[in-house]
Amino acid sequence: MGIGDEVHSDMRPGARLRSRYGAGPLHLLATIASLAFSGYVIGQVFDGLFPWNFVLWFAGAIVAHDLIALPLYTVLDRLAQRGTKAPHGGRRSISALNHLRVPAALSGILFVVWFPLILRLSERRYLAATGQTANAYLGRWLLATAVLFACSGLAYALRLRAVRPMRPKG
Amino acid sequence: MRKGAPRLPALPLAPPRIGPFRREFWRSPLRGPWLSSVLGSALLPLIVLCAVTGFLSHIAYDPALGSNSPIGRGRGLDLHLFSWPTSPAWLFAAVQGVHIVSGIAAVPILLAKLWSVIPKLFEHPPLRSLAHALERASLALLVGGSLFVFFTGILNIELYYPWKFSFVPAHYYAAFIFLAALALHVGLKLPVMRRAFRSTGILRPLRDDLAHTTPEPPDTSDTVAIDPAPPTMSRRALLGWIGVASVGLAVTTAGQVAGGPLRPLAFLAPHGRSLGNGPNDFQVNKTAASRGIKLADTGPRWRLKLSGARDLRLSRDHLLALPQHTESLPIACVEGWSTTQSWTGVRLRDLARLAGASDGHELFVESLQKGGAFRTATLSTGQVADARSLLALKVNGADLSHDHGYPARIIVPALPGVLCTKWVSAMKFTRT
């Protein structure tokens, strides 16, 4: 029996709590323990750490991901789906969709992780720390993107070849 | 199965069932409790590894000593469970390397996990019961905490600080918030996961190719599409794609941890470049220029202030005349890169004896640099006593370069790089 199980029986202990609270006693205990501990930690953050800036970035991260980034890549994906919808039959029956999606997402994740270097957002600090400029990163990312799309394109071409109907000779 | 729970009165501002608040809006045939469970199972070990190495890394600073604590002395939850050892010498490099690599490798899986459960953000009604309301509050801490911890960590590696708070305490405390919410989430979702794996089999959905990819059986978790679009990708292809992204990021980051011939693998990481073949051509974390170190301060007039039972002032020639020892030791940065070099200099314990300090002394080290979080460092008695701990004067047979701490720097096995003070100006041995 896990602590989140919501199976009902009025014979079970805690049935009244279950009807008032919406889950079993273990759920209540674990939830209060977790939230109370988080409350203590948030108190530490508010003890002289630019607390509101912390809260802003914390909440901003949720908004930026759930309400901006995710809808944005979903829309891009829908566009790609529409753009690659193939007419039925013929040699074009292999969808190009995943050959577009996969390299785009891999290049995208490299960008998401390394964008401060790629866009030279921390140039001054980077130079102070390493003694080097960050010039190289944009080019390297573009090169990685080129390789990813080229490999995907090659794979697509090979798959198209494999299904192309044999043309009668002569 | 919630008929026993009375619904909260409908909120006056409950969103109308339009757009994403309609179940029909979410059409991916791949979403469902099985997919979320598989992604969660892949993510959890990486997060545990990243968290454990993160806390070990904090302990490596010996935060109870002097002003070593990276979150600031005397703050809550400042873990110092044991005194950080000096053996094996690569301990900190390995701990920090695993921390950074596991964290970066988790990013694609985390994003996929969030994608797989996004319909829950728009579930209707938004609050079913008090239990549901508390759980959603905790989920906000879970999602916000995960994004905050991962992205502050990654931006710190790249020295990009677009915020106003100080990185280490914010990253440290957000990790506690994230882990507390995660522990609750794992506890609450274990039954959902068990149900999903029991109903579809743990690996069985991986056998389906695109033609056989169908939505998961409906479940109370509300992520299975009720008006699914035709599949464009099989589940195994989706997981393979996420796996390639994760392994790819891990390998390209690990290059700067392993160093040597593997370093160029880290082609997008900040310390992935090799700097040349000269004795001083290895990674720098803070240049002399950036710390305001002037040539005049490090020239012939430089003296090391050494104090213990007596005070001494030693020139670099004095130090070179003392018994010299050479040790091959890694220097490892909290940002996850490391490099092993051959250092030559005077043993810290020899300097302790010279200052009249017998065994059992801590060492307070001060740098010429004017500011910065780690201008000073305190080393433990164990670190001072280790025969491999040096005040290094040379590296790879040549004088230290200015960027590597000329005229003298500390090098101690398994000690975080920022505590291996460069441009040392004073050393004070104190009784604990």
Side-chain angles (χ1 to χ4, degrees):
Chain A
M1 206 55 214
I3 54 179
D5 266 357
E6 298 184 71
V7 178
H8 279 269
S9 156
D10 284 344
M11 305 306 287
R12 290 181 46 206
R16 174 169 295 203
L17 178 81
R18 203 170 278 276
S19 77
R20 294 270 161 82
Y21 169 66
L26 268 177
H27 185 291
L28 179 63
L29 297 176
T31 307
I32 290 178
S34 173
L35 288 175
F37 179 73
S38 297
Y40 166 77
V41 180
I42 291 166
Q44 294 300 308
V45 171
F46 269 70
D47 186 14
L49 257 189
F50 278 109
W52 291 110
N53 200 246
F54 179 95
V55 171
L56 182 76
W57 281 85
F58 198 99
I62 303 178
V63 172
H65 176 270
D66 287 2
L67 301 179
I68 299 173
L70 194 145
L72 188 70
Y73 73 67
T74 302
V75 166
L76 287 176
D77 191 66
R78 291 273 161 88
L79 288 177
Q81 292 195 31
R82 207 166 291 169
T84 54
K85 197 165 265 178
H88 286 289
R91 54 172 278 199
R92 296 201 174 275
S93 63
I94 293 180
S95 168
L97 177 61
N98 291 335
H99 289 274
L100 195 59
R101 258 176 179 169
V102 172
L106 294 178
S107 163
I109 196 86
L110 284 177
F111 185 82
V112 163
V113 170
W114 300 117
F115 74 91
L117 288 176
I118 292 168
L119 300 180
R120 296 161 68 170
L121 297 175
S122 53
E123 181 94 74
R124 200 173 45 83
R125 279 174 185 278
Y126 185 78
L127 184 66
T130 63
Q132 294 177 298
T133 64
N135 292 343
Y137 292 105
L138 176 60
R140 288 177 176 197
W141 175 67
L142 289 174
L143 215 53
T145 303
V147 169
L148 288 167
F149 275 88
C151 290
S152 181
L154 190 67
Y156 184 56
L158 290 175
R159 287 178 67 194
L160 281 184
R161 240 182 104 93
V163 299
R164 184 155 53 186
M166 296 292 261
R167 251 180 287 167
K169 279 182 185 156
Chain B
M1 303 296 280
R2 297 185 187 90
K3 58 184 180 232
R7 301 202 155 175
L8 289 186
L11 297 177
L13 291 175
R17 305 204 77 162
I18 52 165
F21 296 97
R22 284 165 51 239
R23 281 288 308 275
E24 299 78 12
F25 180 85
W26 304 101
R27 300 195 61 204
S28 169
L30 300 190
R31 281 199 187 94
W34 179 85
L35 183 68
S36 298
S37 300
V38 166
L39 291 170
S41 314
L43 196 50
L44 188 61
L46 281 176
I47 290 176
V48 169
L49 198 59
C50 193
V52 168
T53 48
F55 290 124
L56 284 176
S57 162
H58 180 80
I59 295 169
Y61 282 78
D62 267 319
L65 298 179
S67 56
N68 282 11
S69 177
I71 60 169
R73 194 177 172 82
R75 302 190 62 99
L77 297 171
D78 192 354
L79 300 178
H80 36 80
L81 305 177
F82 53 89
S83 185
W84 190 247
T86 52
S87 288
W90 45 262
L91 185 61
F92 183 71
V95 162
Q96 199 58 35
V98 170
H99 182 62
I100 265 89
V101 172
S102 60
I104 289 181
V107 170
I109 311 175
L110 174 68
L111 295 179
K113 177 76 170 69
L114 292 175
W115 173 83
S116 80
V117 294
I118 189 71
K120 309 267 296 173
L121 179 65
F122 300 96
E123 68 190 330
H124 205 281
L127 303 173
R128 272 195 310 265
S129 62
L130 183 57
H132 188 226
L134 290 178
E135 199 176 323
R136 295 201 82 186
S138 175
L139 284 174
L141 297 179
L142 180 69
V143 174
S146 63
L147 294 167
F148 186 95
V149 173
F150 279 92
F151 282 92
T152 51
I154 289 170
L155 298 196
N156 175 61
I157 296 175
E158 300 170 71
L159 312 167
Y160 179 50
Y161 306 101
W163 47 72
K164 289 200 184 104
F165 46 78
S166 129
F167 162 72
V168 181
H171 187 68
Y172 188 75
Y173 286 124
F176 279 106
I177 297 174
F178 167 49
L179 292 173
L182 180 65
L184 178 67
H185 184 66
V186 170
L188 295 182
K189 291 303 176 191
L190 264 180
V192 176
M193 183 163 126
R194 215 178 304 153
R195 250 193 332 262
F197 283 158
R198 207 175 287 152
S199 84
T200 38
I202 298 177
L203 297 176
R204 206 180 320 137
L206 294 177
R207 283 192 224 144
D208 302 333
D209 61 9
L210 183 59
H212 295 90
T213 298
T214 51
E216 289 182 38
D219 176 90
T220 50
S221 72
D222 296 346
T223 53
V224 179
I226 56 174
D227 177 22
T232 56
M233 181 176 256
S234 65
R235 288 190 174 80
R236 64 188 182 206
L238 175 67
L239 293 175
W241 180 16
I242 298 162
V244 165
S246 176
V247 171
L249 280 171
V251 168
T252 52
T253 310
Q256 64 167 1
V257 178
L262 296 178
R263 189 172 298 280
L265 270 180
F267 66 101
L268 281 174
H271 290 270
R273 281 183 272 183
S274 109
L275 305 183
N277 297 317
N280 274 288
D281 291 343
F282 56 94
Q283 302 294 319
V284 177
N285 197 38
K286 294 279 178 286
T287 58
S290 75
R291 297 290 106 176
I293 306 295
K294 297 191 197 78
L295 281 177
D297 301 333
T298 60
R301 287 173 50 205
W302 174 83
R303 293 290 181 275
L304 173 70
K305 274 179 252 163
L306 190 68
S307 46
R310 58 174 173 268
D311 291 350
L312 295 133
R313 287 176 160 262
L314 300 173
S315 69
R316 199 163 186 279
D317 288 338
H318 273 121
L319 289 166
L320 283 167
L322 295 170
Q324 302 290 303
H325 297 271
T326 299
E327 298 290 345
S328 175
L329 292 173
I331 178 103
C333 180
V334 73
E335 286 146 22
W337 58 270
S338 56
T339 177
T340 299
Q341 306 293 337
S342 175
W343 311 87
T344 303
V346 188
R347 280 181 177 156
L348 296 184
R349 64 184 195 195
D350 291 351
L351 289 170
R353 252 170 238 134
L354 195 63
S358 49
D359 291 349
H361 280 72
E362 284 170 2
L363 171 60
F364 177 73
V365 186
E366 235 179 311
S367 167
L368 283 173
Q369 71 186 72
K370 296 292 181 280
F374 290 96
R375 198 184 71 80
T376 65
T378 305
L379 308 186
S380 68
T381 53
Q383 286 159 346
V384 173
D386 194 294
R388 295 164 298 170
S389 301
L390 302 176
L391 178 68
L393 305 166
K394 296 178 173 228
V395 64
N396 301 318
D399 281 350
L400 289 169
S401 70
H402 266 93
D403 283 344
H404 286 304
Y406 182 90
R409 78 167 301 164
I410 300 288
I411 183 86
V412 170
L415 187 66
V418 283
L419 295 176
C420 291
T421 309
K422 301 197 277 193
W423 315 291
V424 173
S425 61
M427 296 169 68
K428 186 174 185 181
F429 292 92
T430 53
R431 263 260 177 250
T432 50

